[in-house]
Amino acid sequence: MKLILLLSVGLGLTWTLQDDILDASVLQGFDPKQVTGSWYTLKLASTDRSVIEEGGAYLCFMTGIALQDNGNLNVTYFHREDGKCVKKFYIAEETGIPGRYTFEYQGTNYLTFVDVTEDFIIMDLENQSKGGTVIMSELHGRSLSTDEIEWQLYYIHTRRRNIVPENIVDLSLTRRCDTP
Ligand SMILES: *[C@@H]1O[C@H](CO)[C@@H](O)[C@H](O)[C@H]1NC(C)=O
Ligand SMILES: *[C@@H]1O[C@H](CO)[C@@H](O)[C@H](O)[C@H]1NC(C)=O
């Protein structure tokens, strides 16, 4: 009994460590062209709920991704500032690992494309600082409609990243901010 318990604890640990270093396991055969174009942010989740709540630094409505000649991505989004929806962009730079990028926003962030279909993408963001790591998981769609399978995949990903279900925000229930 003890052995089984120990073994499962050990396995759990390996899984977590692997998850944190390699993680958000990069998608095989990632092609940046699949993620370009316009998007709607459907769900946001974070290990720290306050960052995706009203006024939070990561409460963002992504509206588009453009591929630059050098391989970097220009990610545009809207963010509410003093009650107004303001258009912004960040440049996600290639890391050498297909599907993983890095960008500066309140420190260094790692962006990983975890799942990509014709209609949906799941993006994993990790902000690392001395105070600790904050993880964000985002579900974006080509339209505002959702899909049960994609939602399940998204949910599984949030669990793997130790995000509790209470920290998933459904933006279809929120005042949107996709236009100025
Ligand atoms: C990124 O895209 C936005 C919106 O299309 C544009 O205004 C901005 O100039 C672009 N930034 C760069 C560095 O290409
Ligand atoms: C992200 O990391 C930076 C330092 O790299 C830190 O200043 C900032 O507060 C972090 N953001 C969040 C939301 O934790």
Side-chain angles (χ1 to χ4, degrees):
M1 189 65 197
K2 242 183 201 155
L3 186 71
I4 292 169
L5 197 71
L6 232 106
L7 202 72
S8 55
V9 168
L11 284 175
L13 201 68
T14 327
W15 176 252
T16 316
L17 286 178
Q18 205 176 35
D19 220 33
D20 283 344
I21 299 161
L22 305 173
D23 201 67
S25 41
V26 161
L27 200 67
Q28 294 292 307
F30 175 80
D31 177 2
K33 289 193 196 77
Q34 290 179 297
V35 303
T36 58
S38 54
W39 292 103
Y40 291 95
T41 303
L42 304 173
K43 288 178 201 289
L44 295 174
S46 176
T47 48
D48 176 359
R49 202 180 201 281
S50 70
V51 303
I52 50 167
E53 284 176 339
E54 201 55 59
Y58 287 87
L59 176 58
C60 296
F61 293 77
M62 186 180 79
T63 53
I65 301 179
L67 179 61
Q68 299 187 311
D69 290 341
N70 60 6
N72 292 339
L73 301 178
N74 179 349
V75 181
T76 49
Y77 64 94
F78 282 85
H79 182 71
R80 208 175 275 120
E81 273 173 18
D82 304 320
K84 285 207 183 88
C85 291
V86 185
K87 191 177 188 177
K88 301 247 171 108
F89 70 87
Y90 64 81
I91 301 298
E93 294 177 11
E94 286 188 295
T95 60
I97 300 168
R100 178 163 299 152
Y101 297 82
T102 181
F103 66 96
E104 293 300 318
Y105 175 73
Q106 304 217 333
T108 300
N109 293 261
Y110 289 92
L111 159 65
T112 307
F113 288 91
V114 180
D115 190 41
V116 178
T117 70
E118 261 177 46
D119 302 314
F120 298 95
I121 48 176
I122 297 174
M123 280 165 49
D124 180 280
L125 268 60
E126 196 167 315
N127 175 303
Q128 295 176 344
S129 68
K130 281 198 202 90
T133 298
V134 180
I135 295 161
M136 273 67 58
S137 178
E138 309 182 343
L139 177 64
H140 308 280
R142 290 290 185 191
S143 72
L144 284 169
S145 58
T146 48
D147 171 285
E148 191 57 34
I149 294 169
E150 201 56 33
W151 158 240
Q152 287 302 323
L153 285 172
Y154 177 69
Y155 185 74
I156 291 165
H157 177 68
T158 60
R159 297 301 292 171
R160 279 192 59 210
R161 299 293 268 154
N162 295 318
I163 298 173
V164 294
E166 298 81 60
N167 288 9
I168 301 175
V169 174
D170 184 348
L171 293 182
S172 67
L173 308 171
T174 323
R175 192 158 54 105
R176 294 196 69 87
C177 166
D178 297 298
T179 47

